[in-house]
Amino acid sequence: MAALTDIILTGIKPTGTPHIGNYVAALKPAIELSKSNKTYVFIADLHALNIIRDPKVIRQHTYEIAALMIAMGLNLENTVFFKQSDIVQTYQLTTLLMNVTPKGLMNRAHSYKASVDKNVAAGQDEDAGINMGLYTYPILMTADILLYNADAVPVGADQKQHVEFARDIAGYFNNLYGDVFKLPAPLIGEDTGIIPGLDGRKMSKSYDNIIPLFAPEAELKKKIMRIITDSKSPEEPKDPETSTIFQLYKHFATDAEIQELRGRFIAGGMGYGTAKTILFDKINSVLSQPRQEYMRLMANTKELDKILADGAALARPVAEQTFERVRKAMLG
Ligand code: TRP
């Protein structure tokens, strides 16, 4: 667990309209940490560039994430909340770090390897469609982490390797140039498990099975009623652990409510229709106020610009200091 004096930092990539799966796995943990720790949270728009080619789309997703984080309770008092691309030292440090990063380390990155495997399986050249943004993605992420002297980086399991790379790269740098960087470590929170989507597979835009976080109430209800279940009758006992309904409920209800619904699943006598209504009522009651705040912020993007600019003004001096240390160490 992170100590209270630790510097905690995390980034969120604006590649899509956030859904319940993103919220539970990535956004909620950062919001929770911000309530009792000093944190840096930024929107990693530079990391979206290797996939999204339309600036309007990146801006839109950036606003959505900013509005969502604030609406869901990110503590702006404790948090330096900003946009990655507003800090020029990010680009600068990335260039310098290239020189101490072994190419072989990048070859081992899971996300790059997955793209290569896909190409090979499709009988294509192994680097088909792979740009250097994807290949050097972990170096950019290392720059993010090292600029703000982060100790702990809360990430999902899929990003753990990237944080380990940041630690490796900081170590290579320190070996060559002295003690310039703190060594960061991943902070893997309580395992949220796989958040299932409407069809029971992992909730993901690519499976078209998502529940948007801030859908209008009627749409939220419609989606939840469409969750696929098995064909057990209302009387039969049901397994909460394999039920999408229960697995989603867990992330919004209190412990007592979770125990109660678990009991009703196991006892039998409750149909899936009823369980879905319970799930809808719960999610809707948790999200209805934040939804209004989200809508308000999305209609006032100037306010979001101001919040992110204020955050950048706090992040910048820290980044400048770190970068100056690195520049001196490398270039004298
Ligand atoms: N790569 C992360 C993701 O896709 C986002 C990210 C960018 C990040 N920079 C970071 C996370 C620095 C933690 C620390 O989710």
Side-chain angles (χ1 to χ4, degrees), residues 209-226:
N209 65 357
I210 65 158
I211 306 177
L213 197 60
F214 290 129
E217 195 170 314
E219 188 188 330
L220 178 65
K221 182 157 201 173
K222 216 163 96 192
K223 293 258 183 206
I224 288 178
M225 291 302 163
R226 270 194 8 221

Side-chain angles (χ1 to χ4, degrees), residues 9-13 26 42 44 47 84 137 140-142 144-145 153-155 158-159 162-163:
L9 168 142
T10 199
I12 299 154
K13 200 163 58 165
F42 60 89
H47 275 108
Q84 181 191 32
Y137 185 107
L140 177 59
M141 187 157 155
T142 300
D144 290 333
I145 294 170
V153 183
V155 282
D158 67 317
Q159 295 295 317
H162 287 151
V163 182

Side-chain angles (χ1 to χ4, degrees), residues 12 27 30-31 41 64-74 81:
I12 299 154
L27 310 183
I31 292 170
V41 178
E64 286 167 350
I65 293 193
L68 184 149
M69 296 295 281
I70 296 166
M72 293 306 287
L74 183 75
F81 186 43

Side-chain angles (χ1 to χ4, degrees), residues 69-86:
M69 296 295 281
I70 296 166
M72 293 306 287
L74 183 75
N75 182 332
L76 288 173
E77 302 278 304
N78 287 347
T79 304
V80 179
F81 186 43
F82 63 104
K83 205 163 64 174
Q84 181 191 32
S85 63
D86 280 346

